[in-house]
Amino acid sequence: MTANTTIRIGAIVALTGVALGAFGAHALKDLLESRGRVAAWDTAVLYHLLHGVALTALGLSGKGHPVAALAWLIGVVLFSGSIYGLCLLENAKWLGPVTPLGGLSMMIGWLALIIKLPAAD
């Protein structure tokens, strides 16, 4: 994955995070409140946005850490995506086990970044 691709993916992830945060706060507010899912939605958005910014920063660094970038992208889809599904779908309990897999993927991305730190200048 090139630096430019990572920047674009990061920007798309951040853009969708902002959109879903706003959607949850406005269009879905009553639904999320009635299901007691506001905090869960907010957690999904937080991790979604954080990893969108991290992806963008990773691309801007020009270092090219494709394992970290891919792991973070997969993590956002699985972690945040499964929480969004759990919040919106009434009978989606099968998504529950997907959430920790997404969290694990995010952690793998951070670990990959730690392992592949560039040498100090």
Side-chain angles (χ1 to χ4, degrees):
M1 189 177 311
T2 68
N4 284 340
T5 300
T6 303
I7 293 167
R8 284 187 181 96
I9 290 170
I12 291 167
V13 170
L15 170 73
T16 57
V18 171
L20 287 166
F23 196 59
H26 301 288
L28 297 176
K29 182 180 179 185
D30 293 338
L31 175 70
L32 295 173
E33 286 176 349
S34 71
R35 294 184 178 177
R37 298 290 190 168
V38 173
W41 188 273
D42 289 346
T43 298
V45 169
L46 174 65
Y47 281 79
H48 191 145
L49 286 171
L50 188 142
H51 286 86
V53 171
L55 279 161
T56 305
L58 187 64
L60 289 170
S61 77
K63 302 296 184 202
H65 296 283
V67 173
L70 186 58
W72 288 342
L73 180 59
I74 291 168
V76 168
V77 170
L78 294 180
F79 181 83
S80 295
S82 65
I83 294 173
Y84 296 138
L86 287 165
C87 290
L88 296 176
L89 306 170
E90 289 188 46
N91 296 315
K93 294 197 186 302
W94 58 271
L95 283 171
V98 175
T99 307
L101 295 175
L104 180 62
S105 184
M106 289 175 176
M107 289 186 280
I108 288 169
W110 289 106
L111 182 61
L113 190 62
I114 292 166
I115 290 170
K116 194 178 175 193
L117 281 175
D121 292 332

